[in-house]
Amino acid sequence: MQARAYIMKKNYAAPDEALYHVGFSASSLEGARIAVLPGDPGRSEPVAKAIGGDARFIASHREYTSFLTQAAGRKVLVCSTGMGGPSVAICLEELARAGITHVIRFGTTGTIQERVSLGDVIISKAAARLDGTSAHYAPECFPAVASFAVTAALKAAAERCGAPCHVGISVSSDTFWPGQERYDSFTGYVPRRFRGSMEEWQALGALNYEMETATLFTVAQSLGLKAGAVLGVVVKRTESEQVAPSYVYDKAFGHMADIVRLAVGQL
Ligand code: URA
């Protein structure tokens, strides 16, 4: 049998079909094609207001809390993904069915490089796949890479607003403790395969640890979506394993909102 050309099937939702996990239907997006994705449901409203001024509540179901806003003349959905790969993949599947074409993760991270400071912003151009979910979508040799167009828009926006920003490779781990070689867990035990792993990622020039970006990039690619990621630095692993006080997140949040607001106008 001869291999045939693959044509991606696109199973869009009917306008009034309630999407099971995110809890809204495509018609409530009013034609929005861009989605901004914080992890924390509690951050959806502040993110929507910061990038668009106004925020209209759409739905809140499980870890998915959604608001609609408008930035640079475009409708923008802000929808939380929850933590970790599985809930990111579910979110992307349903956003694609609702007609979303571009997704931008708006998250937090711990840097592993000395030159990156607390409160800075990291734009991920690719991510190491230390997750499990992405392997359900693509073989392990397949790279988790951001959309070039989305990343270029984010980088140009960061330059325009003068945000302290680093573009590089993230390490996306399914776990906050062992996979990120943290020793301040309940038992303090880090399995042998992760001991020394932070030094290895540092030597490879990776910038940071977080938990969702590799899944986002791989699943977005497999669904035909364009993905990017902006991450606020709230941990500096060369100094501490602890998350910094909230004013650090507030500083990064302001920069990330400025970057995303400007970038949305270029997509
Ligand atoms: N999120 C992570 O997954 N790790 C950190 O260190 C900070 C935020």
Side-chain angles (χ1 to χ4, degrees):
M1 193 171 86
Q2 194 178 332
R4 286 181 300 163
Y6 172 75
I7 299 169
M8 188 186 287
K9 182 179 140 203
K10 296 196 169 177
N11 177 21
Y12 291 109
D16 292 321
E17 176 187 343
L19 294 158
Y20 179 74
H21 297 90
V22 293
F24 57 75
S25 59
S27 60
S28 54
L29 302 191
E30 298 175 12
R33 293 286 173 265
I34 301 171
V36 176
L37 309 175
D40 179 352
R43 290 181 180 152
S44 290
E45 185 172 13
V47 169
K49 287 186 169 158
I51 65 173
D54 260 6
R56 182 170 72 73
F57 175 75
I58 297 186
S60 189
H61 188 233
R62 299 173 181 242
E63 56 267 70
Y64 307 110
T65 295
S66 303
F67 284 81
L68 194 65
T69 189
Q70 188 152 332
R74 287 172 167 80
K75 298 269 184 210
V76 177
L77 169 70
V78 178
C79 177
S80 55
T81 61
M83 277 184 284
S87 62
V88 168
I90 288 170
C91 184
L92 292 188
E93 288 273 4
E94 294 191 351
L95 296 191
R97 293 202 62 223
I100 292 293
T101 56
H102 292 70
V103 290
I104 302 174
R105 170 160 150 71
F106 190 108
T108 56
T109 190
T111 184
I112 58 174
Q113 295 292 347
E114 196 57 60
R115 68 179 187 283
V116 180
S117 301
L118 288 171
D120 285 2
V121 175
I122 289 174
I123 296 173
S124 301
K125 63 179 181 180
R129 292 172 53 193
L130 225 55
D131 68 325
T133 306
S134 67
H136 289 215
Y137 284 83
E140 282 173 17
C141 57
F142 193 80
V145 186
S147 150
F148 182 77
V150 175
T151 306
L154 293 169
K155 171 82 164 62
E159 281 166 8
R160 268 178 68 195
C161 63
C165 171
H166 313 261
V167 180
I169 297 170
S170 299
V171 178
S172 302
S173 159
D174 261 355
T175 52
F176 189 78
W177 277 276
Q180 301 186 22
E181 205 190 346
R182 270 193 165 85
Y183 294 89
D184 66 344
S185 61
F186 184 54
T187 65
Y189 183 74
V190 173
R192 194 195 307 267
R193 65 188 176 283
F194 291 122
R195 280 181 239 152
S197 59
M198 188 169 104
E199 187 183 7
E200 193 171 8
W201 295 121
Q202 287 169 323
L204 288 164
L207 295 183
N208 61 299
Y209 281 126
E210 54 79 70
M211 298 179 67
E212 289 83 15
T213 297
T215 314
L216 181 91
F217 289 170
T218 311
V219 177
Q221 175 71 27
S222 84
L223 302 179
L225 306 178
K226 309 278 184 220
V230 246
L231 307 166
V233 177
V234 297
V235 181
K236 181 152 177 152
R237 291 293 305 277
T238 50
E239 293 170 4
S240 168
E241 294 188 347
Q242 314 281 323
V243 178
S246 61
Y247 67 82
V248 169
Y249 174 71
D250 295 343
K251 179 171 172 239
F253 178 93
H255 293 312
M256 293 186 329
D258 290 344
I259 291 170
V260 170
R261 188 183 323 107
L262 287 175
V264 159
Q266 305 307 309
L267 299 176

